[in-house]
Amino acid sequence: MAAAAAGHNQTASAQIFERARHVMPSGYTRHLVVQKPNPTYAASGDGCWITDVEGNRRLDWVNNFSSLIHGHNKREIVEMLAAQAGRLMSAVLPTEWEVSLAEILCERIPSVERVRFMNSGTEANQIAIKAARAYTGKPKIAKMEGGYHGQFDLLEASFQSNPGNWGPAERPNATAYQVGHPQGLLDLVTILPLNDIEATRAILRAEADQLAAVILDPQRLQLGMVAPHRPYLEMLREETEKLGIVLIFDEVWSLRAGYNGFQGEIGITPDLTTMGKIIGGGIPVGGCGGQQKFMSVFEVDAGDPKIKHSGTFTANPMAMACGTTSLRLLTPDVFARMAAQGERLREGLRAIRRDLGIKAQVLGEGSLSGMTPTELPLNNYRELAYAFATEIAPKLPVIQTELLAEDLLTMRGGFVGSTPMTDDDIDFTIAGARRAWTRIMAQ
Ligand SMILES: Cc1ncc(COP(=O)(O)O)c(C=O)c1O
């Protein structure tokens, strides 16, 4: 219903939000989409464009946090989903679709010889942690300060620690993220300082007899702003192997980096890989895979498995069929085209930065790009937290709003590409970003 048809001053989104406030806390069911005075409600999507209930059509550079790698409304996916919905939406019996999706992942992702499915990236990480504990017989998990792995409270430790509670840089405290975060859970987590090779090595060695796993997103921390350095990743691979600690790459987001995932791009192979987002083609999904010896904790051939993993909607055929269709469409050529478009966009952003004299750095690789409004170094969570508090955070709302005024829907000004995008869409984005930044610089 368009605002005009509603017959009074409120926009259609404001009217929906008014109803929402009576049935959801403050009207929301998802924290990251909070928008004042009210969220903009989506009506439909078509290719790389999304239309809201007011009728505004925008280039969708968020793609539901990277999960919609084919954008909206991809014909092959829609047809397959309609057909599958008519056949079977879910059942207690497994379907062939789960085997098809597993075959694709085992063929493409270097560390994955066996895989199990779940319904979200969060759940994938929960299961991977259980597998690592069962495999090693050890209780603790190490994660990066500032690392995000979904809503599993164990892994929320130190996601947003601050100078008041984070402790020494070379031995960070495990800090609560939510009010009520139990100390008992924090005691089970070891926090590592990203990119500090010596400090991390010392912590791993000191705690080796307690640590079941090290988990990290190998590509980025906090929406793409901090990248693990290659020597750091190499050290992690070497030390964990030596110390009998399971190395988990959380590729829930980074799998979109290439045909063989981010691990294929960098040639470093973890023990377990967690997946989500693009492997469901738009339907909720999660996956946990690895070498057979690590995945043996799920095996039932010799009796009860070490880990009993089930779930009502696990491997439901809608997600499995959608994921299979989506990944079949993602050929090496398609990844190469997305990476070339990403580079075209980054080149455009670099030119804008140069021409307008913006204090910023253009970050990203493959289909992820962004212009982060600071020139401060960003090598770990603490540097990011400082840059964020002093320079980035005050500018982000303005950047997002000015890009939106150019019909560019972004999350914090970051750009997550999709396969329906054309070079014209990239040029449209660069031209819009230039106008947006010209206005920002004039403020
Ligand atoms: C690296 C990483 N891990 C895990 C998750 C959680 O996945 P989900 O939202 O499907 O639970 C996300 C979500 O953005 C993510 O980026």
Side-chain angles (χ1 to χ4, degrees):
M1 182 170 50
H8 47 83
N9 288 337
Q10 274 194 322
T11 62
S13 284
Q15 288 179 42
I16 298 172
F17 189 58
E18 198 51 46
R19 286 167 45 208
R21 292 180 62 82
H22 289 99
V23 285
M24 292 185 276
S26 299
Y28 291 97
T29 187
R30 209 175 176 193
H31 177 62
L32 258 183
V33 303
V34 170
Q35 188 189 340
K36 304 285 178 180
N38 58 264
T40 303
Y41 288 84
S44 61
D46 186 18
C48 50
W49 295 85
I50 185 157
T51 304
D52 62 29
V53 290
E54 279 78 34
N56 300 305
R57 194 165 173 267
R58 301 202 156 102
L59 195 51
D60 187 353
W61 276 109
V62 185
N63 290 301
N64 197 23
F65 297 109
S66 151
S67 57
L68 294 169
I69 197 162
H70 295 296
H72 306 279
N73 211 8
K74 179 80 179 165
R75 183 181 52 79
E76 291 88 337
I77 291 179
V78 172
E79 284 175 5
M80 187 282 311
L81 277 176
Q84 187 58 36
R87 264 193 306 265
L88 183 72
M89 289 219 276
S90 62
V92 69
L93 305 178
T95 67
E96 192 177 345
W97 284 117
E98 69 188 41
V99 184
S100 311
L101 185 57
E103 282 169 346
I104 294 175
L105 295 171
C106 290
E107 192 252 319
R108 292 189 188 183
I109 312 303
S111 66
V112 176
E113 290 176 358
R114 297 285 185 275
V115 63
R116 300 280 289 210
F117 292 108
M118 305 87 206
N119 295 297
S120 69
T122 299
E123 212 189 326
N125 287 326
Q126 285 176 318
I127 298 291
I129 298 294
K130 286 188 192 178
R133 286 201 201 109
Y135 183 80
T136 61
K138 296 188 277 182
K140 289 187 77 175
I141 304 301
K143 63 160 292 202
M144 299 299 142
E145 190 166 35
Y148 183 68
H149 302 288
Q151 304 187 68
F152 178 24
D153 46 15
L154 185 77
L155 295 180
E156 286 182 329
S158 294
F159 172 53
Q160 280 184 351
S161 47
N162 61 62
N165 63 14
W166 63 26
E170 63 292 346
R171 193 66 169 93
N173 293 336
T175 65
Y177 173 55
Q178 317 278 13
V179 173
H181 200 139
Q183 185 59 44
L185 278 186
L186 296 173
D187 293 343
L188 287 170
V189 185
T190 294
I191 304 299
L192 301 174
L194 182 70
N195 289 330
D196 185 335
I197 291 181
E198 287 316 314
T200 299
R201 189 185 275 131
I203 296 171
L204 294 181
R205 288 183 181 176
E207 295 208 12
D209 63 336
Q210 292 292 301
L211 282 176
V214 171
I215 183 168
L216 85 160
D217 175 334
Q219 189 185 27
R220 63 183 191 101
L221 197 67
Q222 306 250 340
L223 289 176
M225 290 192 261
V226 180
H229 301 160
R230 188 183 174 84
Y232 187 78
L233 292 172
E234 283 169 349
M235 176 279 298
L236 283 181
R237 178 60 289 180
E238 204 182 299
E239 285 296 322
T240 50
E241 184 133 37
K242 262 201 315 236
L243 299 170
I245 301 168
V246 176
L247 181 62
I248 305 172
F249 277 3
D250 176 344
E251 290 231 43
V252 170
W253 186 301
S254 64
L255 215 67
R256 71 153 45 229
Y259 186 75
N260 305 111
F262 188 70
Q263 57 195 261
E265 296 293 299
I266 58 171
I268 298 176
T269 306
D271 299 322
L272 290 176
T273 300
T274 54
M275 298 165 275
K277 299 193 193 270
I278 68 164
I279 72 161
I283 300 287
V285 78
C288 167
Q291 278 174 39
Q292 190 175 356
K293 68 174 178 179
F294 298 105
M295 296 299 285
S296 66
V297 298
F298 299 104
E299 287 174 0
V300 293
D301 304 314
D304 245 11
K306 286 185 174 161
I307 295 297
K308 299 164 195 77
H309 153 242
S310 200
T312 304
F313 289 105
T314 290
N316 70 81
M318 298 298 278
M320 298 294 104
C322 192
T324 300
T325 309
S326 165
L327 290 184
R328 281 183 184 151
L329 291 166
L330 289 171
T331 60
D333 286 353
V334 171
F335 278 105
R337 195 170 67 84
M338 292 183 80
Q341 287 183 338
E343 194 44 43
R344 187 183 182 101
L345 175 58
R346 287 185 289 277
E347 196 45 55
L349 294 173
R350 282 192 281 267
I352 296 170
R353 183 182 69 87
R354 213 173 36 237
D355 296 348
L356 301 182
I358 305 167
K359 285 196 164 59
Q361 41 196 307
V362 175
L363 300 173
E365 58 204 322
S367 53
L368 296 178
S369 311
M371 182 146 78
T372 302
T374 183
E375 289 179 326
L376 291 167
L378 299 174
N379 294 303
N380 55 45
Y381 172 73
R382 295 188 185 197
E383 287 183 358
L384 175 68
Y386 177 72
F388 206 82
T390 55
E391 299 195 357
I392 302 174
K395 296 176 190 157
L396 283 184
V398 182
I399 295 170
Q400 193 163 314
T401 307
E402 291 298 346
L403 289 173
L404 198 63
E406 297 294 336
D407 293 335
L408 302 169
L409 179 68
T410 66
M411 178 55 64
R412 297 173 160 187
F415 299 92
V416 182
S418 62
T419 60
M421 287 181 176
T422 62
D423 286 355
D424 284 349
D425 295 318
I426 306 300
D427 295 343
F428 173 87
T429 301
I430 295 168
R434 182 175 285 274
R435 285 190 298 271
W437 273 103
T438 304
R439 288 193 299 276
I440 295 166
M441 294 302 280
Q443 282 173 17

